[in-house]
Amino acid sequence: MTASTLKVRVARKEVEAADICTFELVRADGGALPPFSAGSHIDVSLPNRITRQYSLCNDPAESHRYLIGVLKDPSSRGGSKAIHELVKVGDVVEISTPKNHFPLAHEAKRSLLLAGGIGVTPILCMAERLATVGADFEMHYCTRSRDRTAFLDRIQRSSFVRRVQFHFDECSDDQRLDIAVLLAEPNAGTHLYVCGPKGFMDAVLSNARRQGWEESHLHYEFFAAEPVKSDADGSFEVMLSSSGKVVVVPKDKTVVEALAAAGTNVEISCEQGVCGTCLTRVLEGEPDHRDLYLSPEERAANDQFLPCCSRARTGLLVLDL
Ligand code: FES
């Protein structure tokens, strides 16, 4: 265990909706948990030795517990299946302290919160926070059906229920979310937050960009990504600026893997380009960005990249390592 990790006990595990469980985590030694802000996630070390990120979905004012909601995803790479099937009440698991790569923008005059499926977890936490501070917001929550809608009761009993609109795929067309209409009038004071499956997020973000939303007003967190591989992928070199050491990245290895084989470990978590943990500064050369973490502007600057998934457009990248 390091200074940034904690042992927590599973105090409660409940079925929240079809294929969705919540896990209530309390500190194993009984103390208060480190504070967190809306949009935060924790890394959970699972019994099958993999680490996954889960957004905290309880009220950020609470310090006695962390609550996470997990969808059992048939296309999972082992994380959601492991936590659903192997983690039981009473188990002690190691987690990271909360990290926030999806914070609320304090300058927002109004917040538009869009959740798709299990992407509701950080969005609900944001809604709690905005309601607590009396901020202006509107939340839209899209799911396939009522029985797959996590936190339905909690939202319906909340003080902010009038600010939430549910959109179920199984219902009539006029009840479904019309993204183009919702985003039709970008406003300088309104910030948009979106979390959900990749197709949902792509639809929301591409619509917002097309309709002229400022990039700085778009806030998003992808929770999974397919690795982007191409037959055209080739090998390239990376140089560590601190030592001048050059490492070859073969076409079938990631930069992180090649560096690890050469004795340089970069901190990683998701290994999918969504969490930002491995973010590394690029001093020379042009990265081939394959992540879902950086904004279009950050990508265009080419001065940082995610070496767990991104590659190089030039033969050499000089890294600030
Ligand atoms: Fe998550 Fe690289 S480890 S983005």
Side-chain angles (χ1 to χ4, degrees):
M1 205 165 78
T2 67
S4 58
T5 58
L6 305 168
K7 296 263 191 222
V8 290
R9 187 169 48 79
V10 180
R12 195 174 301 188
K13 173 181 178 182
E14 285 180 348
V15 176
E16 174 60 41
D19 290 333
I20 297 173
C21 276
T22 53
F23 296 80
E24 183 178 310
L25 309 173
V26 299
R27 202 164 169 136
D29 63 11
L33 289 160
F36 67 98
S37 51
S40 295
H41 72 270
I42 52 173
D43 296 340
V44 181
S45 301
L46 297 171
N48 58 351
R49 294 173 185 268
I50 60 176
T51 301
R52 286 291 176 265
Q53 296 70 48
Y54 297 105
S55 295
L56 297 176
C57 57
N58 51 311
D59 184 337
E62 295 179 342
S63 61
H64 66 290
R65 65 171 190 159
Y66 292 149
L67 189 70
I68 57 173
V70 183
L71 169 70
K72 190 171 179 184
D73 178 357
S75 60
S76 132
R77 298 174 303 149
S80 71
K81 191 166 183 298
I83 192 165
H84 268 253
E85 294 177 3
L86 303 179
V87 176
K88 306 177 298 300
V89 171
D91 286 356
V92 172
V93 293
E94 191 170 293
I95 63 169
S96 70
T97 51
K99 309 170 188 180
N100 199 344
H101 299 153
F102 189 34
L104 286 165
H106 294 296
E107 68 274 21
K109 302 251 182 316
R110 184 163 183 277
S111 300
L112 186 54
L113 309 179
L114 304 189
I118 195 62
V120 71
T121 48
I123 295 291
L124 180 54
C125 192
M126 289 175 169
E128 296 269 7
R129 175 66 189 158
L130 292 167
T132 298
V133 299
D136 185 12
F137 75 96
E138 176 180 328
M139 172 174 162
H140 292 262
Y141 182 11
C142 304
T143 61
R144 275 159 55 190
S145 58
R146 192 168 272 273
D147 70 319
R148 305 189 78 83
T149 304
F151 310 113
L152 186 58
D153 287 350
R154 176 171 151 192
I155 294 169
Q156 285 177 329
R157 282 187 279 106
S158 73
S159 62
F160 53 86
V161 63
R162 288 216 194 98
R163 295 181 177 273
V164 183
Q165 287 183 43
F166 294 95
H167 305 274
F168 305 118
D169 289 354
E170 64 183 3
C171 290
S172 56
D173 282 355
D174 60 349
Q175 191 265 346
R176 297 216 189 144
L177 178 61
D178 189 331
I179 296 171
V181 170
L182 182 68
L183 303 182
E185 288 173 22
N187 175 301
T190 303
H191 284 239
L192 172 68
Y193 302 82
V194 57
C195 187
K198 185 167 183 302
F200 174 76
M201 302 205 28
D202 286 346
V204 170
L205 292 171
S206 60
N207 226 301
R209 288 175 179 134
R210 214 168 33 242
Q211 305 216 56
W213 284 69
E214 275 182 51
E215 199 59 43
S216 61
H217 288 40
L218 304 179
H219 309 270
Y220 47 90
E221 184 163 71
F222 287 87
F223 47 72
E226 290 296 318
V228 182
K229 293 211 161 113
S230 157
D231 290 344
D233 286 350
S235 66
F236 55 96
E237 292 176 332
V238 292
M239 181 191 282
L240 310 184
S241 66
S242 59
S243 61
K245 184 172 168 182
V246 173
V247 175
V248 175
V249 183
K251 65 178 186 181
D252 58 345
K253 292 251 181 312
T254 66
V255 176
V256 163
E257 289 167 342
L259 287 172
T264 299
N265 289 315
V266 175
E267 191 186 348
I268 50 171
S269 182
C270 71
E271 298 179 71
Q272 294 180 286
V274 295
C275 75
T277 303
C278 66
L279 189 67
T280 301
R281 286 216 309 140
V282 176
L283 304 177
E284 276 178 53
E286 187 184 336
D288 178 0
H289 297 288
R290 301 196 179 175
D291 64 281
L292 293 173
Y293 179 78
L294 296 174
S295 69
E297 279 141 6
E298 288 168 331
R299 284 171 165 229
N302 281 332
D303 57 357
Q304 53 188 343
F305 85 142
L306 282 311
C308 67
C309 62
S310 294
R311 302 186 69 78
R313 289 190 194 285
T314 46
L316 175 72
L317 293 179
V318 180
L319 305 180
D320 187 18
L321 289 173

PDB file of all heavy atoms in Angstrom, residues 188-205:
ATOM      1  N   ALA A 188     -23.042  31.256 -23.590  1.00  0.00           N
ATOM      2  CA  ALA A 188     -21.707  31.503 -23.022  1.00  0.00           C
ATOM      3  C   ALA A 188     -21.598  31.060 -21.568  1.00  0.00           C
ATOM      4  O   ALA A 188     -20.523  30.720 -21.093  1.00  0.00           O
ATOM      5  CB  ALA A 188     -21.385  32.985 -23.134  1.00  0.00           C
ATOM      6  N   GLY A 189     -22.722  31.035 -20.840  1.00  0.00           N
ATOM      7  CA  GLY A 189     -22.645  30.675 -19.422  1.00  0.00           C
ATOM      8  C   GLY A 189     -22.925  29.213 -19.133  1.00  0.00           C
ATOM      9  O   GLY A 189     -22.822  28.770 -17.985  1.00  0.00           O
ATOM     10  N   THR A 190     -23.310  28.453 -20.162  1.00  0.00           N
ATOM     11  CA  THR A 190     -23.716  27.062 -19.926  1.00  0.00           C
ATOM     12  C   THR A 190     -22.585  26.092 -20.245  1.00  0.00           C
ATOM     13  O   THR A 190     -21.971  26.171 -21.307  1.00  0.00           O
ATOM     14  CB  THR A 190     -24.948  26.703 -20.790  1.00  0.00           C
ATOM     15  OG1 THR A 190     -25.994  27.626 -20.487  1.00  0.00           O
ATOM     16  CG2 THR A 190     -25.430  25.295 -20.501  1.00  0.00           C
ATOM     17  N   HIS A 191     -22.337  25.177 -19.315  1.00  0.00           N
ATOM     18  CA  HIS A 191     -21.338  24.123 -19.536  1.00  0.00           C
ATOM     19  C   HIS A 191     -22.056  22.785 -19.654  1.00  0.00           C
ATOM     20  O   HIS A 191     -23.038  22.526 -18.958  1.00  0.00           O
ATOM     21  CB  HIS A 191     -20.330  24.085 -18.386  1.00  0.00           C
ATOM     22  CG  HIS A 191     -19.333  25.201 -18.442  1.00  0.00           C
ATOM     23  ND1 HIS A 191     -17.972  24.982 -18.515  1.00  0.00           N
ATOM     24  CD2 HIS A 191     -19.505  26.541 -18.457  1.00  0.00           C
ATOM     25  CE1 HIS A 191     -17.343  26.150 -18.565  1.00  0.00           C
ATOM     26  NE2 HIS A 191     -18.256  27.117 -18.521  1.00  0.00           N
ATOM     27  N   LEU A 192     -21.532  21.953 -20.541  1.00  0.00           N
ATOM     28  CA  LEU A 192     -22.129  20.644 -20.822  1.00  0.00           C
ATOM     29  C   LEU A 192     -21.229  19.546 -20.249  1.00  0.00           C
ATOM     30  O   LEU A 192     -20.007  19.580 -20.441  1.00  0.00           O
ATOM     31  CB  LEU A 192     -22.240  20.484 -22.344  1.00  0.00           C
ATOM     32  CG  LEU A 192     -22.654  19.133 -22.899  1.00  0.00           C
ATOM     33  CD1 LEU A 192     -24.100  18.830 -22.548  1.00  0.00           C
ATOM     34  CD2 LEU A 192     -22.491  19.118 -24.414  1.00  0.00           C
ATOM     35  N   TYR A 193     -21.842  18.592 -19.562  1.00  0.00           N
ATOM     36  CA  TYR A 193     -21.123  17.450 -18.988  1.00  0.00           C
ATOM     37  C   TYR A 193     -21.768  16.192 -19.523  1.00  0.00           C
ATOM     38  O   TYR A 193     -22.989  16.052 -19.457  1.00  0.00           O
ATOM     39  CB  TYR A 193     -21.226  17.455 -17.458  1.00  0.00           C
ATOM     40  CG  TYR A 193     -20.681  18.721 -16.841  1.00  0.00           C
ATOM     41  CD1 TYR A 193     -21.464  19.867 -16.780  1.00  0.00           C
ATOM     42  CD2 TYR A 193     -19.379  18.789 -16.373  1.00  0.00           C
ATOM     43  CE1 TYR A 193     -20.966  21.048 -16.262  1.00  0.00           C
ATOM     44  CE2 TYR A 193     -18.863  19.964 -15.837  1.00  0.00           C
ATOM     45  CZ  TYR A 193     -19.665  21.090 -15.791  1.00  0.00           C
ATOM     46  OH  TYR A 193     -19.157  22.251 -15.284  1.00  0.00           O
ATOM     47  N   VAL A 194     -20.950  15.262 -20.017  1.00  0.00           N
ATOM     48  CA  VAL A 194     -21.549  14.045 -20.556  1.00  0.00           C
ATOM     49  C   VAL A 194     -20.703  12.839 -20.175  1.00  0.00           C
ATOM     50  O   VAL A 194     -19.476  12.875 -20.218  1.00  0.00           O
ATOM     51  CB  VAL A 194     -21.754  14.147 -22.094  1.00  0.00           C
ATOM     52  CG1 VAL A 194     -20.463  14.439 -22.827  1.00  0.00           C
ATOM     53  CG2 VAL A 194     -22.407  12.906 -22.654  1.00  0.00           C
ATOM     54  N   CYS A 195     -21.393  11.762 -19.808  1.00  0.00           N
ATOM     55  CA  CYS A 195     -20.719  10.492 -19.521  1.00  0.00           C
ATOM     56  C   CYS A 195     -21.667   9.366 -19.908  1.00  0.00           C
ATOM     57  O   CYS A 195     -22.869   9.425 -19.627  1.00  0.00           O
ATOM     58  CB  CYS A 195     -20.354  10.393 -18.037  1.00  0.00           C
ATOM     59  SG  CYS A 195     -19.333   8.941 -17.671  1.00  0.00           S
ATOM     60  N   GLY A 196     -21.122   8.352 -20.575  1.00  0.00           N
ATOM     61  CA  GLY A 196     -21.956   7.226 -20.996  1.00  0.00           C
ATOM     62  C   GLY A 196     -21.208   6.375 -21.997  1.00  0.00           C
ATOM     63  O   GLY A 196     -19.996   6.548 -22.190  1.00  0.00           O
ATOM     64  N   PRO A 197     -21.910   5.470 -22.670  1.00  0.00           N
ATOM     65  CA  PRO A 197     -21.253   4.639 -23.679  1.00  0.00           C
ATOM     66  C   PRO A 197     -20.690   5.508 -24.808  1.00  0.00           C
ATOM     67  O   PRO A 197     -21.182   6.613 -25.061  1.00  0.00           O
ATOM     68  CB  PRO A 197     -22.383   3.754 -24.202  1.00  0.00           C
ATOM     69  CG  PRO A 197     -23.476   3.867 -23.202  1.00  0.00           C
ATOM     70  CD  PRO A 197     -23.325   5.179 -22.524  1.00  0.00           C
ATOM     71  N   LYS A 198     -19.692   4.952 -25.498  1.00  0.00           N
ATOM     72  CA  LYS A 198     -18.976   5.757 -26.487  1.00  0.00           C
ATOM     73  C   LYS A 198     -19.902   6.315 -27.581  1.00  0.00           C
ATOM     74  O   LYS A 198     -19.777   7.474 -27.970  1.00  0.00           O
ATOM     75  CB  LYS A 198     -17.859   4.926 -27.118  1.00  0.00           C
ATOM     76  CG  LYS A 198     -17.012   5.740 -28.071  1.00  0.00           C
ATOM     77  CD  LYS A 198     -15.744   5.036 -28.449  1.00  0.00           C
ATOM     78  CE  LYS A 198     -14.887   5.922 -29.365  1.00  0.00           C
ATOM     79  NZ  LYS A 198     -15.524   6.335 -30.576  1.00  0.00           N
ATOM     80  N   GLY A 199     -20.849   5.515 -28.064  1.00  0.00           N
ATOM     81  CA  GLY A 199     -21.747   5.982 -29.120  1.00  0.00           C
ATOM     82  C   GLY A 199     -22.562   7.179 -28.662  1.00  0.00           C
ATOM     83  O   GLY A 199     -22.747   8.150 -29.413  1.00  0.00           O
ATOM     84  N   PHE A 200     -23.035   7.133 -27.429  1.00  0.00           N
ATOM     85  CA  PHE A 200     -23.816   8.233 -26.859  1.00  0.00           C
ATOM     86  C   PHE A 200     -22.946   9.481 -26.741  1.00  0.00           C
ATOM     87  O   PHE A 200     -23.342  10.588 -27.137  1.00  0.00           O
ATOM     88  CB  PHE A 200     -24.330   7.780 -25.486  1.00  0.00           C
ATOM     89  CG  PHE A 200     -25.028   8.840 -24.685  1.00  0.00           C
ATOM     90  CD1 PHE A 200     -26.319   9.227 -24.998  1.00  0.00           C
ATOM     91  CD2 PHE A 200     -24.403   9.438 -23.601  1.00  0.00           C
ATOM     92  CE1 PHE A 200     -26.977  10.194 -24.252  1.00  0.00           C
ATOM     93  CE2 PHE A 200     -25.044  10.402 -22.845  1.00  0.00           C
ATOM     94  CZ  PHE A 200     -26.338  10.787 -23.165  1.00  0.00           C
ATOM     95  N   MET A 201     -21.749   9.290 -26.241  1.00  0.00           N
ATOM     96  CA  MET A 201     -20.863  10.446 -26.049  1.00  0.00           C
ATOM     97  C   MET A 201     -20.451  11.060 -27.377  1.00  0.00           C
ATOM     98  O   MET A 201     -20.396  12.276 -27.523  1.00  0.00           O
ATOM     99  CB  MET A 201     -19.632  10.023 -25.256  1.00  0.00           C
ATOM    100  CG  MET A 201     -20.077   9.456 -23.947  1.00  0.00           C
ATOM    101  SD  MET A 201     -18.963   9.502 -22.616  1.00  0.00           S
ATOM    102  CE  MET A 201     -17.904  10.820 -22.807  1.00  0.00           C
ATOM    103  N   ASP A 202     -20.148  10.196 -28.336  1.00  0.00           N
ATOM    104  CA  ASP A 202     -19.774  10.711 -29.663  1.00  0.00           C
ATOM    105  C   ASP A 202     -20.922  11.527 -30.245  1.00  0.00           C
ATOM    106  O   ASP A 202     -20.714  12.592 -30.830  1.00  0.00           O
ATOM    107  CB  ASP A 202     -19.433   9.557 -30.614  1.00  0.00           C
ATOM    108  CG  ASP A 202     -18.078   8.930 -30.294  1.00  0.00           C
ATOM    109  OD1 ASP A 202     -17.304   9.542 -29.526  1.00  0.00           O
ATOM    110  OD2 ASP A 202     -17.810   7.829 -30.800  1.00  0.00           O
ATOM    111  N   ALA A 203     -22.158  11.014 -30.088  1.00  0.00           N
ATOM    112  CA  ALA A 203     -23.316  11.728 -30.636  1.00  0.00           C
ATOM    113  C   ALA A 203     -23.468  13.088 -29.964  1.00  0.00           C
ATOM    114  O   ALA A 203     -23.696  14.113 -30.631  1.00  0.00           O
ATOM    115  CB  ALA A 203     -24.584  10.893 -30.443  1.00  0.00           C
ATOM    116  N   VAL A 204     -23.335  13.125 -28.637  1.00  0.00           N
ATOM    117  CA  VAL A 204     -23.500  14.396 -27.922  1.00  0.00           C
ATOM    118  C   VAL A 204     -22.375  15.371 -28.293  1.00  0.00           C
ATOM    119  O   VAL A 204     -22.624  16.541 -28.634  1.00  0.00           O
ATOM    120  CB  VAL A 204     -23.510  14.144 -26.390  1.00  0.00           C
ATOM    121  CG1 VAL A 204     -23.429  15.456 -25.623  1.00  0.00           C
ATOM    122  CG2 VAL A 204     -24.772  13.367 -25.994  1.00  0.00           C
ATOM    123  N   LEU A 205     -21.153  14.896 -28.250  1.00  0.00           N
ATOM    124  CA  LEU A 205     -20.027  15.821 -28.462  1.00  0.00           C
ATOM    125  C   LEU A 205     -19.964  16.306 -29.909  1.00  0.00           C
ATOM    126  O   LEU A 205     -19.689  17.481 -30.173  1.00  0.00           O
ATOM    127  CB  LEU A 205     -18.710  15.145 -28.054  1.00  0.00           C
ATOM    128  CG  LEU A 205     -18.589  14.899 -26.540  1.00  0.00           C
ATOM    129  CD1 LEU A 205     -17.371  14.029 -26.228  1.00  0.00           C
ATOM    130  CD2 LEU A 205     -18.506  16.215 -25.772  1.00  0.00           C
TER     131      LEU A 205
END
